[in-house]
Amino acid sequence: MSTLIEQAHSREWFYAYELPDGSTTPTYHSSDIQAIHDTRWRMLESCLEKQLGSDRHALTALDLASHQGWFAYNLARSGFSQVLGIDARQAHVDDSSLISRIYGMEQLAFRQGDIHEQHPDQTGRFDLVLMLGLLYHLENPVGALRICRALCKRICVIETQIVPGMTGFVDYGSYQYVRPLKGSFGIIDETDDTHGPEASITGVCLVPSLDALLWLLEKVGFSSAEILDPPQDAYEQLRYHKRVMVAARV
């Protein structure tokens, strides 16, 4: 155990894990960032209690873009019988797997993979699909939402940055043929940041408006979608609706 904890202390972390010996993993950012993780978890836990109940021993969960595994770890602690985390960066998978080994969590596993390459025949289908902080780093967010639906048996929770929406009508080939806008996307350039552990893999990011996200969730096959209310002391971007967390049901 001490050797594994020493390995944890030799790395830099995005998340402040509380280790079994009472120490905390060192982070490479200020403590203020932890507020967004805490807010996300409180909102997620409240949603899960409402949607799935507190007895989760027969439930499975998938964490897409699991990063260093903090949310997958907390899902396992909350009672899920099987939790799988998938991340595009092998370094994140290695860090997450170390945490799983430190805590001896046999129900918690991680593997490297691209979200767009996941298929229910190989990956499986899960009661809960989680996608936090990923959608706004993708150049194909619509395809990612289709993957979420294919892998989901009950509920999918998505947290994402959003952009201001556009409404109205557009001449669609002719002034006589007019179509309503269902939402909009903003293009964000991360092409100089792809080396960063929290950035896009490709650098081209399409960020949805809230209207676009809700409309797309219906069109990819979810039966309903609920915007989760942030707590009063939530991280500022969630509190002021610059980010949103949505629970979509199958």
Side-chain angles (χ1 to χ4, degrees):
M1 179 68 73
S2 61
T3 301
L4 295 177
I5 289 177
E6 288 172 359
Q7 290 180 35
H9 279 289
S10 70
R11 306 181 186 198
E12 290 188 327
W13 296 82
F14 190 56
Y15 303 95
Y17 278 105
E18 295 181 4
L19 300 173
D21 66 349
S23 64
T24 303
T25 52
T27 61
Y28 51 80
H29 54 72
S30 68
S31 59
D32 295 343
I33 296 297
Q34 187 64 32
I36 189 171
H37 311 323
D38 294 338
T39 297
R40 285 168 165 173
W41 177 251
R42 288 159 59 196
M43 293 174 68
L44 176 60
E45 177 63 14
S46 177
C47 171
L48 296 181
E49 185 72 25
K50 176 182 175 182
Q51 300 287 349
L52 300 177
S54 57
D55 184 2
R56 301 166 193 168
H57 75 277
L59 301 179
T60 60
L62 172 66
D63 185 4
L64 294 168
S66 53
H67 203 280
Q68 290 177 320
W70 194 81
F71 291 97
Y73 159 78
N74 279 286
L75 289 174
R77 286 186 61 194
S78 76
F80 282 85
S81 64
Q82 177 194 354
V83 181
L84 173 63
I86 296 177
D87 197 89
R89 291 180 167 92
Q90 184 62 46
H92 289 164
V93 174
D94 295 341
D95 292 339
S96 305
S97 299
L98 175 60
I99 291 296
S100 179
R101 291 169 60 203
I102 286 174
Y103 283 93
M105 289 181 161
E106 295 183 359
Q107 75 274 38
L108 179 60
F110 298 93
R111 71 172 187 235
Q112 190 273 336
D114 186 325
I115 182 176
H116 300 292
E117 297 176 356
Q118 305 309 308
H119 190 279
D121 288 346
Q122 289 80 39
T123 309
R125 298 179 69 238
F126 298 79
D127 296 290
L128 168 68
V129 172
L130 196 62
M131 186 168 67
L132 307 184
L134 172 64
L135 194 68
Y136 58 93
H137 289 302
L138 300 176
E139 63 180 56
N140 184 11
V142 180
L145 293 176
R146 293 190 187 279
I147 295 293
C148 286
R149 174 61 185 88
L151 301 176
C152 184
K153 292 196 292 187
R154 296 182 63 175
I155 185 170
C156 176
V157 178
I158 297 166
E159 191 268 359
T160 182
Q161 197 99 38
I162 54 175
V163 297
M166 294 177 62
T167 61
F169 296 83
V170 60
D171 290 0
Y172 210 62
S174 165
Y175 75 91
Q176 296 176 312
Y177 188 50
V178 178
R179 303 298 294 267
L181 291 173
K182 298 300 184 182
S184 54
F185 283 88
I187 301 174
I188 302 297
D189 179 8
E190 287 189 344
T191 52
D192 292 332
D193 304 317
T194 55
H195 62 283
E198 282 80 56
S200 165
I201 295 295
T202 67
V204 179
C205 308
L206 271 64
V207 186
S209 67
L210 180 56
D211 286 343
L213 176 60
L214 296 175
W215 185 82
L216 285 167
L217 287 169
E218 176 187 349
K219 294 306 175 185
V220 301
F222 288 102
S223 65
S224 63
E226 174 189 2
I227 303 169
L228 305 184
D229 292 326
Q232 290 186 346
D233 60 345
Y235 179 74
E236 51 92 5
Q237 282 204 319
L238 285 160
R239 187 165 73 247
Y240 295 115
H241 313 293
K242 301 300 178 65
R243 303 174 80 100
V244 66
M245 186 176 284
V246 175
R249 292 191 64 87
V250 171

